[in-house]
Amino acid sequence: MTAVPGDLPSLPRRGPAPAVDRMSNAELARMVEAEHPYRGKALFELSDRIAIDNDAATKVAMLTRLTSLRRARLFDRVSLAWSGIIALLAAETEHSREVAYEAFGALDVEEQRDMLDYLEVTTIEEAHPRIA
């Protein structure tokens, strides 16, 4: 049986993407917390600020604890929460690494094991991912 376009449910329309590059860290964090349709875009904008902004790093670390981000998959096993932790590690600042370790520690043991396996390290402190 072939589906007719009218038979398929339509996806909700997202509307135009917000100008996240002009938003404050607090506004971006609220978007993520509210599960806004562009929450990933907001998280990535915050992540881009980590290396030069400790407040952004702190907010990303806090947001990785949200169940909604731990369940939302970017691909394969990688969740939005993992992407935040990876961004914190990749920034390579003292503060970003410290809060990355705390965020990693908040994951359940199985998720920690999976993330270490994905990063191909035995401890989180050994992880030095690069983001292109």
Side-chain angles (χ1 to χ4, degrees):
M1 177 177 211
T2 306
V4 177
D7 294 341
L8 301 175
S10 62
L11 296 173
R13 296 184 81 58
R14 288 186 185 202
V20 294
D21 59 325
R22 293 191 299 245
M23 297 173 79
S24 71
N25 292 348
E27 290 171 314
L28 294 167
R30 280 193 297 274
M31 273 183 72
V32 175
E33 290 169 331
E35 297 185 30
H36 187 279
Y38 285 99
R39 71 178 184 256
K41 188 174 180 72
L43 180 67
F44 297 146
E45 177 62 30
L46 268 176
S47 295
D48 285 347
R49 299 175 184 184
I50 292 171
I52 57 169
D53 185 343
N54 285 346
D55 178 63
T58 300
K59 284 180 172 39
V60 168
M62 174 200 68
L63 293 167
T64 64
R65 290 163 170 80
L66 294 173
T67 302
S68 62
L69 291 192
R70 291 174 64 184
R71 289 187 181 147
R73 296 284 175 249
L74 288 173
F75 59 89
D76 193 29
R77 299 180 284 176
V78 179
S79 65
L80 280 173
W82 283 20
S83 75
I85 295 169
I86 290 167
L88 290 164
L89 293 167
E92 294 288 352
T93 71
E94 185 177 330
H95 180 71
S96 70
R97 300 278 307 179
E98 179 183 314
V99 295
Y101 301 152
E102 292 169 7
F104 177 80
L107 301 175
D108 62 46
V109 175
E110 185 177 321
E111 200 172 1
Q112 288 178 2
R113 197 170 27 249
D114 283 350
M115 187 171 183
L116 292 175
D117 179 59
Y118 174 77
L119 293 170
E120 299 178 346
V121 294
T122 55
T123 67
I124 195 64
E125 293 79 10
E126 296 170 6
H128 295 276
R130 291 179 183 221
I131 298 176

